[in-house]
Amino acid sequence: MSRDEFRQYGKETVDYIVDYLENIQKRRVVPAIEPGYLKDLIPSEAPNAPESFESVMEDFEKLIMPGITHWQHPRFHAYFPAGNSFPSIIADMLSDAIGCVGFSWAACPAMTELELIMLDWFGKMIGLPKEFLPLTENGKGGGVIQSSASECNFVTLLAARFEVMKELRARFPFVEEGLLLSKLIAYCSKEAHSSVEKACMIGMVKLRILETDSKFRLRGDTLRNAIQEDRNLGLIPFFVSTTLGTTSCCSFDVLSEIGPICKENELWLHVDAAYSGSAFICPEFRPLMNGIEYAMSFNTNPNKWLLINFDCSTMWFVFKFIVGPPKWSIALC
Ligand SMILES: *Cc1c(COP(=O)(O)O)cnc(C)c1O
């Protein structure tokens, strides 16, 4: 594609986008196709010769659109909301144009710095404790953008596992790592997102899924009893993943009860607020996050409620205490 063609087709694509979004309600929300539909409509080999832009767009409308679930449709009520907006689309275009890989400050200074500043802005907007916000509040932690909340849950679990294993290795230098790992146990409630269970599965740690109360909230006593029982079995509780705004019913685990128990027992407290964390912009909802000062990590998805298109999952960490000195008296055999 030449530069002039790009100029023309780019503008045509913007027109296509506007038409699509303006008329989206005329389409079916969910496609009327069977699994595997596309294989029969598309050649089995990549073409040798290029096709015109017009014919590609024709295929897009005829072959791809019929297989799209329209998350932006006004009658789409499945899973969870997916934000989108014109400014967000334009931002994606600019980011595509720059096309850089910002894995370190030097790899793209503006990208790294803008990310940190925006995470500070947003963290302040939702009332995160200042420890999470290093730039504007002299905090000890910081924020970073991930692709999805599932990834946040996984990364957090790995970080917590790393911290506790470091401590255990120092304390039991002659014990095989696999044995130490086999003693670790994490907690969440049965209303937690499925990605917590998946994270523990891939992270190779045990997970105990706890009961909730009549309002679908994880309570402190439930956690305290579970920790005690598991300690008695020789296990090492190290991580709790709580949810503020569960995906299925928007219930809120009681952080103000759970937080002190995590502190007392030196457990890493994670708060997954992917679904409704953005609501904390409104001061009237802030009491639901009482106890957040005990959290070591927090994530929420601007791509759910804040008109930002997928993917944009924001996550903050703060290192408040290093796990240990240990209270563990475990039988390592
Ligand atoms: C939506 C949601 C997730 C998963 O979000 P993805 O970004 O799609 O991985 C995780 N936890 C909670 C509480 C959610 O609502």
Side-chain angles (χ1 to χ4, degrees), residues 146-303:
Q146 303 287 327
S147 321
S148 68
S150 307
E151 203 177 307
C152 294
N153 284 329
F154 184 47
V155 169
T156 308
L157 178 93
L158 292 183
R161 191 188 76 174
F162 176 81
E163 284 298 318
V164 73
M165 286 298 286
K166 194 167 68 181
E167 193 63 37
L168 283 171
R169 269 197 305 268
R171 189 165 175 216
F172 304 103
F174 303 112
V175 177
E176 224 256 297
E177 249 183 48
L179 182 56
L180 296 173
L181 188 64
S182 74
K183 301 283 176 185
L184 298 185
I185 185 158
Y187 303 92
C188 69
S189 93
K190 61 186 209 186
E191 295 299 322
H193 190 266
S194 58
S195 58
V196 177
E197 195 173 352
K198 201 192 270 181
C200 291
M201 222 186 282
I202 325 171
M204 299 202 295
V205 296
K206 293 181 182 58
L207 172 70
R208 184 157 167 192
I209 299 175
L210 302 171
E211 286 297 319
T212 51
D213 69 5
S214 61
K215 291 182 170 169
F216 307 103
R217 309 174 296 180
L218 177 62
R219 304 297 300 264
D221 284 345
T222 312
L223 177 65
R224 185 184 286 112
N225 293 339
I227 292 173
Q228 199 49 58
E229 279 171 22
D230 292 334
R231 283 241 162 90
N232 292 344
L233 291 172
L235 297 173
I236 305 172
F238 78 110
F239 180 76
V240 183
S241 190
T242 56
T243 316
L244 292 185
T246 55
T247 327
S248 53
C249 66
C250 207
S251 59
F252 291 76
D253 291 340
V254 187
L255 270 199
S256 55
E257 293 176 2
I258 296 167
I261 294 169
C262 290
K263 186 173 180 198
E264 188 188 311
N265 290 281
E266 288 152 352
L267 269 60
W268 181 305
L269 172 61
H270 176 61
V271 177
D272 176 7
Y275 176 62
S276 71
S278 310
F280 296 128
I281 291 172
C282 307
E284 63 270 33
F285 295 127
R286 297 263 173 90
L288 289 166
M289 73 195 293
N290 282 350
I292 186 71
E293 62 277 12
Y294 293 98
M296 304 262 283
S297 48
F298 177 95
N299 70 274
T300 187
N301 277 18
N303 66 36

